[in-house]
């Protein structure tokens, strides 16, 4: 009996597509769904499972980039906030509002009142789409979240962003399924290892990693959505780009659930890096209190 994947593999080798999207993480999946929705004849492949790399290892948050206020990137924050709002409106059962509680220690580079003003600016830049921010004294923090040690706390702020109620990989597959509903030939475990453009078409050499069978996929355009492998794939196919990736690192630790409240607890390390405890989003991933709290340490830069 022929499976859907087998059928799509046949199509990949026998048809000419308008666009081939390589990489089925969130960027590739959304690209395929959007192009398919516009009537393009689309193919989508990934060398692993759908959403098997970066897009299954996120913090399950949809945020407006509040940290970029500190570097005065207001245009970026505005775009991110509007994108977050659009996701919340379009997928209300999946992308939902969640509160962030940031505790600020004494001697931090910004006074809590300054950060409070920043959260209001953030709220305005997001068109007031979420609940309003609020300032919390150290005593107030202790009363709402007794688990937080407020001995050295100067105060705190609470504001809103959004999180994925299910999980990131399931959210990605929503777009893969939408692309397939528009006629996209999507197949996982298909690795592209060479590409050449001739006679107006891209000829992409790929291999079915399940069977070892080689196939050639022909398309008028190729979207490189391979995430951290973008530069490597461009190098393989001989494409030059002005922009290149600079990698950063985030660390995610699963620990016992710390608080029953639907709130993300946020702190700053001594060197200024941000880390937070997502006590709700991770719970939806694991469904067990023992592993229902995710710590994430953002090591991207010293600004947090």
């Amino acid at each position: 009996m022929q499976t859907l994947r087998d059928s799509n593999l046949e199509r990949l080798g026998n048809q000419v597509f308008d666009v081939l999207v390589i990489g089925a993480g969130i960027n590739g999946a959304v690209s395929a769904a959007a192009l398919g929705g516009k009537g393009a004849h689309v193919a989508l492949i990934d060398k692993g499972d759908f959403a098997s790399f970066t897009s299954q290892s996120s913090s399950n948050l949809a945020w407006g980039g509040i940290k970029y206020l500190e570097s005065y990137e207001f245009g970026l924050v505005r775009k991110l906030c509007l994108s977050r709002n659009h996701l919340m409106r379009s997928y209300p059962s999946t992308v939902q509002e969640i509160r962030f509680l940031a505790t600020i220690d004494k001697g931090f580079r910004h006074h809590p009142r300054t950060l409070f003003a920043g959260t209001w600016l953030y709220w305005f830049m997001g068109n007031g789409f979420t609940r309003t921010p609020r300032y919390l004294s150290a005593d107030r923090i202790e009363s709402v979240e007794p688990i937080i040690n407020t001995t050295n706390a100067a105060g705190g702020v609470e504001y809103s962003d959004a999180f994925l109620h299910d999980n990131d990989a399931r959210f990605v597959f929503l777009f893969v399924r939408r692309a397939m509903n528009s006629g996209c030939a999507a197949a996982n475990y298909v690795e592209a290892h060479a590409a050449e453009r001739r006679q107006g078409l891209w000829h992409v050499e790929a291999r079915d990693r399940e069977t070892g069978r080689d196939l050639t996929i022909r398309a008028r355009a190729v979207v490189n959505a391979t995430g951290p492998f973008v530069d490597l794939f461009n190098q393989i196919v001989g494409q030059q780009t002005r922009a290149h990736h600079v990698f950063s690192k985030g660390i995610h630790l699963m620990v016992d659930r710390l608080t029953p409240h639907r709130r993300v607890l946020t702190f700053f390390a001594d060197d200024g890096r941000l880390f937070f405890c997502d006590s709700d989003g991770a719970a939806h991933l694991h469904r067990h209190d023992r592993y229902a709290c995710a710590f994430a340490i953002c090591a991207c830069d010293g600004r947090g």
Side-chain angles (χ1 to χ4, degrees), residues 49-92:
D49 209 343
F50 301 128
S52 62
F53 204 71
T54 307
S55 293
Q56 71 160 0
S57 303
S58 77
S59 301
N60 288 278
L61 297 174
W63 70 315
I66 189 171
K67 81 168 189 173
Y68 299 117
L69 290 178
E70 190 173 7
S71 52
Y72 308 112
E73 298 175 71
F74 301 121
L76 175 61
V77 175
R78 171 70 172 169
K79 289 178 181 178
L80 290 173
C81 283
L82 295 181
S83 295
R84 177 204 63 195
N85 296 352
H86 178 69
L87 288 171
M88 293 172 70
R89 278 193 301 265
S90 302
Y91 307 98

Side-chain angles (χ1 to χ4, degrees), residues 221-236:
V222 172
V223 174
N224 181 356
T226 56
F229 305 104
V230 162
D231 293 330
L232 176 61
F233 187 77
N234 283 342
Q235 183 180 355
I236 290 172

Side-chain angles (χ1 to χ4, degrees), residues 183-239:
C184 173
N188 50 12
Y189 296 96
V190 175
E191 182 173 6
H193 55 82
E196 181 184 8
R197 187 168 180 83
R198 59 180 186 269
Q199 298 178 340
L201 291 177
W202 280 100
H203 293 69
V204 178
E205 303 301 326
R207 180 172 295 112
D208 178 3
R209 299 179 67 188
E210 293 285 289
T211 64
R213 182 170 68 92
D214 292 325
L215 65 154
T216 300
I217 308 172
R218 295 169 296 162
R220 295 179 179 87
V222 172
V223 174
N224 181 356
T226 56
F229 305 104
V230 162
D231 293 330
L232 176 61
F233 187 77
N234 283 342
Q235 183 180 355
I236 290 172
V237 299
Q239 293 297 302

Side-chain angles (χ1 to χ4, degrees), residues 125-291:
M125 294 181 78
N127 291 345
F129 191 77
T130 59
R131 292 165 56 191
T132 56
R134 65 170 178 162
Y135 177 82
L136 295 92
S137 65
D139 290 341
R140 181 60 178 156
I141 293 173
E142 189 173 2
S143 67
V144 299
E145 286 291 355
I147 195 169
I148 297 177
N149 184 353
T150 58
T151 303
N152 194 44
V157 294
E158 189 177 62
Y159 65 96
S160 290
D161 256 317
F163 78 110
L164 300 178
H165 183 269
D166 294 321
N167 63 55
D168 43 10
R170 184 174 295 176
F171 189 62
V172 171
F173 189 71
L174 182 153
F175 293 100
V176 175
R177 171 53 65 184
R178 179 168 295 182
M180 293 174 71
N181 289 343
S182 298
C184 173
N188 50 12
Y189 296 96
V190 175
E191 182 173 6
H193 55 82
E196 181 184 8
R197 187 168 180 83
R198 59 180 186 269
Q199 298 178 340
L201 291 177
W202 280 100
H203 293 69
V204 178
E205 303 301 326
R207 180 172 295 112
D208 178 3
R209 299 179 67 188
E210 293 285 289
T211 64
R213 182 170 68 92
D214 292 325
L215 65 154
T216 300
I217 308 172
R218 295 169 296 162
R220 295 179 179 87
V222 172
V223 174
N224 181 356
T226 56
F229 305 104
V230 162
D231 293 330
L232 176 61
F233 187 77
N234 283 342
Q235 183 180 355
I236 290 172
V237 299
Q239 293 297 302
Q240 300 292 325
T241 60
R242 287 181 297 175
H244 298 279
H245 277 76
V246 176
F247 294 112
S248 60
K249 181 173 68 173
I251 302 169
H252 298 255
L253 305 174
M254 305 307 298
V255 301
D256 292 351
R257 185 167 189 159
L258 300 180
T259 171
H261 304 117
R262 185 170 172 171
R263 181 184 286 125
V264 177
L265 308 181
T266 307
F267 309 91
F268 292 90
D270 292 341
D271 61 3
R273 289 183 300 170
L274 171 70
F275 68 96
F276 57 85
C277 173
D278 178 0
S279 63
D280 192 84
H284 288 277
L285 280 173
H286 297 273
R287 305 291 180 182
H288 299 291
D289 282 349
R290 178 165 175 76
Y291 300 105

